[in-house]
Amino acid sequence: VQLQASGGGLVQAGGSLRLSCAASGRTFSSYATGWFRQAPGKEREFVAAISWSGDSTHYADSVKGRFTISRNNAKNTVYLQMNSLKPEDTAVYYCNARRFSSTTMSWEDHWGQGTQVTVSS
């Protein structure tokens, strides 16, 4: 599966952005998907994840109550709605798709190219 992230941009603190990650391939619905971010000089960190069915979500403490992850398997797309943005949310945001391969008995990971989010104070 190939992933294409979009929707980043420059926004003032307190504003909102919606990121999208479009996936190619017919097996997207079999993957759990998530968002990670990497700020300059820092390691990539987990932001949010959603199960393949959309029934289960998980968030980093730093974004709970402000960010919402969702997916539309019919459109092969996962979204990240970001509200009440803070300057510390500034980072490159990456989408990820993951599933366990029973063939290789290992995790299969796919990454998008990243989209820049900049929050000004």
Side-chain angles (χ1 to χ4, degrees):
V1 62
Q2 292 184 324
L3 305 173
Q4 180 75 33
S6 62
L10 173 63
V11 63
Q12 289 188 333
S16 298
L17 281 175
R18 187 194 196 202
L19 305 184
S20 298
C21 180
S24 63
R26 294 174 294 176
T27 60
F28 174 71
S29 60
S30 67
Y31 288 82
T33 56
W35 290 92
F36 291 72
R37 66 187 181 187
Q38 187 167 17
K42 295 187 177 181
E43 294 191 353
R44 190 173 297 188
E45 65 175 5
F46 168 78
V47 175
I50 187 167
S51 62
W52 65 270
S53 64
D55 290 345
S56 179
T57 58
H58 183 62
Y59 297 92
D61 288 343
S62 58
V63 307
K64 277 181 183 176
R66 300 188 298 121
F67 291 10
T68 302
I69 189 171
S70 61
R71 66 188 295 163
N72 185 328
N73 285 339
K75 294 184 177 180
N76 277 9
T77 303
V78 62
Y79 306 96
L80 185 68
Q81 178 66 44
M82 305 186 295
N83 299 328
S84 302
L85 282 161
K86 304 175 181 180
E88 51 263 44
D89 294 319
T90 295
V92 177
Y93 283 70
Y94 298 90
C95 57
N96 166 268
R98 161 175 273 209
R99 71 178 180 182
F100 187 79
S101 170
S102 58
T103 301
T104 63
M105 296 301 289
S106 64
W107 289 102
E108 178 186 334
D109 274 301
H110 301 272
W111 293 92
Q113 85 290 1
T115 184
Q116 176 71 47
V117 171
T118 303
V119 184
S120 63
S121 58

